[in-house]
């Protein structure tokens, strides 16, 4: 679950090590929602599936998975400074995203406790998983002499409010894209073990199954509310969320392509694979998916990628704020126009792919 402007403090365990990450619009964000509306939600038409998912959560397949064994008991001082920075940033962003999922699910579980017990327990058990993931990543940060101050985040978090249906679209995609991100890295390293330069990747196979189950929960909850999937507004919003999630990931990862190179991956190829798979899977629940085959799709994203590089360059210059703003304005307009054109690419209708609940 992603994304906040409010980020936890990255604490140094050793005084001469600095945080690598800066605040940007693309850093993880936190969500809140209308808890009353969620509590009143009728899930009866898909209750059986939701109960089956709850049973899976209760089974807790990964109870003993996240245990650091011998492979971590060595130093990582042989990493050069650049690789170390890339790793710290990767771990920090992943930990923040996992922790943001934990906070949202925990709060949902708590607020729905006496009103919608099936959903409440599902949310609590998902928050258990996300806390485990965040904790494991934070422990990994300590291998690089860093730690995230998650207590700071809990106290000073600021939220973006989303109606429940938007939380469903966004978290569904975030869980499914998380699954594809983890499994793609895992499979790549399985085939190219020489690139496995840090043991956290060994945990990704079982880990991503948690994310897949979380995604399935949101799939089931949306199918329990077919009215949020089957009208013209749903089509427009699903397109919007698909594009937002894919574009954000593409911008983030291309900006950090050195991290992917460090583990033998090409950031663009990796993202294209993850986007294609997530888009395809989303077709099982969303009424539309994006037409990624349109040659303009990645062409327009690439224009934004180079625009973003120019924006960063202007930001880091010593010029006056007004001058910076004037230089940035045409680039921001170009980005907005590219994203609008991307949004207007004809989507693919998927209603024929879905089950009979709709
Ligand atoms: Fe997670
Ligand atoms: Fe998750």
């Amino acid at each position: 679950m992603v994304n906040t402007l409010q980020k936890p403090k990255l604490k140094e365990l050793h005084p001469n090590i600095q945080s690598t990450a800066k605040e940007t619009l693309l850093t993880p964000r936190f969500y809140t929602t209308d808890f009353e509306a969620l509590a009143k939600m009728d899930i009866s038409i898909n209750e059986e599936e939701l109960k089956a998912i709850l049973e899976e959560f209760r089974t807790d397949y990964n109870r003993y998975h996240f245990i650091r064994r011998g492979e971590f008991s060595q130093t990582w001082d042989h990493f050069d400074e650049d690789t170390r920075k890339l790793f710290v940033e990767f771990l920090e962003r992943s930990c923040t995203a996992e922790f943001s999922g934990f906070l949202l699910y925990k709060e949902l579980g708590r607020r729905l406790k006496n009103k919608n017990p099936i959903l409440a327990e599902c949310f609590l058990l998902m928050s258990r998983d996300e806390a485990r993931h965040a904790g494991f990543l934070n422990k990994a940060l300590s291998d690089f002499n860093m730690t995230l101050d998650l207590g700071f985040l809990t106290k000073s978090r600021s939220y973006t409010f989303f109606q429940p249906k938007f939380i469903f679209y966004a978290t569904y995609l975030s869980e499914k894209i998380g699954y594809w991100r983890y499994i793609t890295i895992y499979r790549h390293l399985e085939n190219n073990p020489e690139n496995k330069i840090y043991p956290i990747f060994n945990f990704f196979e079982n880990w991503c199954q948690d994310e897949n189950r979380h995604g399935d929960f949101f799939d089931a909850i949306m199918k329990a509310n077919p009215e949020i999937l089957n009208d013209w507004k749903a089509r427009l919003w699903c397109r919007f969320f698909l594009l937002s999630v894919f574009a954000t990931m593409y911008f983030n990862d291309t900006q950090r392509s050195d991290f992917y190179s460090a583990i033998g991956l090409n950031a663009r190829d990796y993202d294209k694979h993850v986007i294609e798979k997530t888009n395809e899977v989303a077709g099982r629940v969303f009424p539309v998916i994006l037409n990624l085959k349109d040659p303009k799709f990645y062409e327009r994203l690439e224009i934004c990628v180079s625009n973003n590089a120019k924006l960063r360059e202007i930001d880091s210059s010593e010029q006056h704020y007004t001058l910076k703003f004037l230089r940035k304005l045409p680039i921001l307009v170009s980005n907005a126009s590219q994203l609008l054109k991307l949004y207007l690419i004809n989507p693919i209708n998927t209603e024929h792919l879905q089950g009979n609940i709709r």
Side-chain angles (χ1 to χ4, degrees), residues 40-278:
K40 285 188 208 133
M41 203 172 70
D42 177 12
I43 53 165
S44 54
I45 63 162
N46 204 19
E47 194 167 316
E48 284 316 302
E49 195 186 343
L50 283 161
K51 279 183 176 164
I53 291 171
L54 175 56
E55 269 319 305
E56 290 233 304
F57 288 159
R58 283 177 178 158
T59 307
D60 196 2
Y61 298 99
N62 284 337
R63 179 182 304 215
Y64 303 112
H65 180 62
F66 293 95
I67 296 169
R68 284 163 58 98
R69 297 200 170 87
E71 68 248 75
F72 285 95
S73 46
Q74 54 168 300
T75 66
W76 309 96
D77 299 343
H78 58 278
F79 276 25
D80 61 54
E81 192 47 32
D82 288 343
T83 313
R84 189 189 162 282
K85 275 186 186 161
L86 292 167
F87 260 79
V88 166
E89 196 188 2
F90 168 77
L91 294 171
E92 182 199 6
R93 293 179 64 83
S94 306
C95 183
T96 311
E98 297 281 8
F99 193 70
S100 112
F102 159 74
L103 288 177
L104 176 71
Y105 299 158
K106 180 93 184 165
E107 189 68 1
L108 282 162
R110 195 177 68 79
R111 300 274 196 116
L112 303 185
K113 202 171 174 199
N114 300 317
K115 296 165 185 162
N116 208 329
I118 295 174
L119 293 190
E121 193 177 349
C122 284
F123 281 120
L124 281 176
L125 294 176
M126 289 197 299
S127 79
R128 167 204 66 195
D129 296 341
E130 305 300 15
R132 236 176 231 163
H133 302 164
F136 200 70
L137 286 157
N138 211 9
K139 195 80 190 101
L141 273 168
S142 69
D143 291 337
F144 299 92
N145 298 317
M146 307 294 271
T147 187
L148 270 176
D149 186 354
L150 298 175
F152 163 83
L153 195 59
T154 313
K155 276 179 252 140
S156 54
R157 60 198 188 231
S158 68
Y159 288 123
T160 305
F161 178 88
F162 269 166
Q163 279 179 38
K165 67 175 177 182
F166 299 143
I167 291 277
F168 299 156
Y169 301 145
T171 46
Y172 167 77
L173 280 177
S174 154
E175 296 290 0
K176 287 293 177 184
I177 212 166
Y179 166 78
W180 283 107
R181 287 175 66 80
Y182 287 136
I183 197 65
T184 305
I185 291 179
Y186 180 83
R187 286 189 186 143
H188 158 73
L189 294 176
E190 203 178 26
N191 295 326
N192 303 278
E194 70 282 6
N195 293 128
K196 211 186 273 178
I197 55 175
Y198 183 63
I200 202 162
F201 304 116
N202 297 336
F203 291 76
F204 279 12
E205 191 182 26
N206 291 40
W207 186 329
C208 74
Q209 296 306 333
D210 282 343
E211 314 304 5
N212 206 26
R213 280 186 283 272
H214 300 171
D216 288 343
F217 166 75
F218 287 106
D219 177 314
I221 211 172
M222 285 189 278
K223 284 180 179 154
N225 295 274
E227 69 282 359
I228 67 167
L229 293 170
N230 60 11
D231 63 5
W232 61 272
K233 283 184 276 180
R235 270 176 248 280
L236 294 179
W237 281 115
C238 287
R239 273 164 81 179
F240 172 80
F241 278 95
L242 284 161
L243 180 61
S244 309
V245 169
F246 295 162
T248 306
M249 181 179 82
Y250 198 79
F251 300 157
N252 273 325
D253 288 349
T254 47
Q255 193 189 330
R256 293 168 179 81
S257 58
D258 288 349
F259 169 76
Y260 295 93
S261 306
I263 56 168
L265 277 169
N266 174 299
R268 284 177 168 79
D269 295 343
Y270 168 72
D271 270 37
K272 284 177 184 172
H273 174 77
V274 170
I275 289 172
E276 185 191 322
K277 291 295 180 186
T278 310

